[in-house]
Amino acid sequence: MPIPFIRPNPPRLSALGEGLKAIEASGIFSNFGPVNAAFEQDMLQAMFGGEGGCVTTCNATIALMLAIQEAIGDRPEQTRYALMPSFTFAATAQAALWCGLTPLFCDIDPVTWAPSAADEERLLDSYGDRIAVIVPYATFGYDIDLERYAGLTERYGVPVVVDAAASLGTRDAQGRGFGTGFMGSIVYSMHTTKAFSTSEGGLIYSGDEERIKTLRLMSNYGFGEPRVATMPGLNGKLSETAALICRERLRSFADTVAHRSHVMERYRMALPELVFQPAPSGQQSHQFGVALLPPGWSELRGRFLEVLAKQGIGHATYFSPHLAQHSFFQKHALFGALPVTDSVASRVICLPMNDTMTEAEIDTVIEGVKRAFGDCRPYTPASHAYLASAMAAD
Ligand SMILES: *Cc1c(COP(=O)(O)O)cnc(C)c1O
């Protein structure tokens, strides 16, 4: 049986009959209705210990646009850049462009693959107040240091919007959900392909409840007074039907995160040849089974993935190409050399990860990866066969 790369597992729609009937009876289908309000309260308690506030959105890309626009609201005119890693999803850069900003790409840390602190500070020092906002990505749900970002806001006066698209379920060693108490905006996705799998949906959290109030108005056309726009806005609301799916998803989510951690732990233990992110001190939410091939293996990745494909093992290569390698961002973003991003992106592989993965399926993936290593090893740079075939190709 082939093992798909992802196998989305949103709540069963056919089991939501009662909830749908209740929505129908209420006559309220959107505009922050009762199901959405209950879901926001549930999330605030379950993920953030009741601290701060949150607002849902129709997806995380719109949420990033709202949060970036809100963050840059009172920035001076000359600010133009959104500082972000190139090793992220296209949505991060697209959202900045919709806000009239130019993405400015920084390099990443070689160990965590999160934005490099040194490179962020180098760019903040050289671009000064032309940087309107910092948009770090909490890479693959990794628990990035948010206190450091609060420090950057203090030191440089630049606001921070965190792209935490894959981070619902990530907790620190004390069990606090990722983002809890952070005073900037943090954006999470509830898209089908994330661990918190629904259909479409996003969530913006902030420790600052006033900020969430503003974002809620911005998400409703910027209506600060009845049907009068008093600020920038768009329609970013989550429908009641979508909120029902989200609410249902939360009920079993703790088990989902635990199972995914188990899958990742088995990959980590059984495949020491691969390079993983550091093991979390608390709990990391895992969207995919992400790892790097060893240094020197980038040329062999295509062959390696072919061996996996032949065995029916689904896979992907997020985020390769990285953003600075997309033709659109080459025209509309600013960046210099990104050596760590180039190296990480050229070796990244994403293995299957899903909520219902069995031990036998995990074994199959592990065996498949071992076979791929075996099949490719004769071609590693150190070997004569590789040199011979490279010379023959010349
Ligand atoms: C999934 C994802 C998004 C976009 O989320 P949507 O809800 O699909 O709009 C943004 N950034 C990153 C890093 C993502 O992985």
Side-chain angles (χ1 to χ4, degrees), residues 176-244:
R176 281 159 54 102
F178 177 78
T180 303
F182 186 72
M183 297 304 277
S185 291
I186 311 215
V187 172
Y188 307 84
S189 174
M190 302 185 287
H191 186 259
T192 319
T193 54
K194 311 293 192 220
F196 198 100
S197 173
T198 65
S199 51
E200 293 277 1
L203 187 80
I204 314 177
Y205 168 83
S206 178
D208 180 350
E209 287 180 63
E210 286 305 310
R211 192 185 299 285
I212 294 299
K213 277 188 194 149
T214 305
L215 286 164
R216 192 184 298 282
L217 300 175
M218 290 175 69
S219 180
N220 189 38
Y221 320 102
F223 285 171
E225 296 162 21
R227 294 192 185 81
V228 175
T230 60
M231 62 189 89
L234 45 68
N235 180 359
K237 291 166 291 184
L238 189 72
S239 74
E240 286 286 275
T241 319
L244 179 70

Side-chain angles (χ1 to χ4, degrees), residues 59-61 64 88-89 91-92 137 163 165 189-191 194 200-201 287 319:
N59 61 57
T61 307
L64 283 166
T88 183
F89 191 54
T92 328
Y137 167 43
D163 183 340
S189 174
M190 302 185 287
H191 186 259
K194 311 293 192 220
E200 293 277 1
Q287 183 179 5
F319 296 97

Side-chain angles (χ1 to χ4, degrees), residues 296-316:
W297 276 67
S298 43
E299 302 288 313
L300 291 166
R301 181 172 64 178
R303 182 186 288 267
F304 190 98
L305 295 177
E306 263 171 40
V307 180
L308 290 186
K310 279 205 195 98
Q311 301 173 87
I313 298 169
H315 53 76

Side-chain angles (χ1 to χ4, degrees), residues 293-354:
L293 293 175
W297 276 67
S298 43
E299 302 288 313
L300 291 166
R301 181 172 64 178
R303 182 186 288 267
F304 190 98
L305 295 177
E306 263 171 40
V307 180
L308 290 186
K310 279 205 195 98
Q311 301 173 87
I313 298 169
H315 53 76
T317 56
Y318 287 90
F319 296 97
S320 172
H322 62 82
L323 300 191
Q325 295 171 328
H326 294 213
S327 57
F328 183 67
F329 301 126
Q330 285 175 345
K331 282 192 228 123
H332 298 286
L334 190 69
F335 53 90
L338 301 164
V340 182
T341 307
D342 288 339
S343 167
V344 167
S346 70
R347 292 184 289 131
V348 74
I349 59 167
C350 304
L351 300 173
M353 167 76 70
N354 65 66

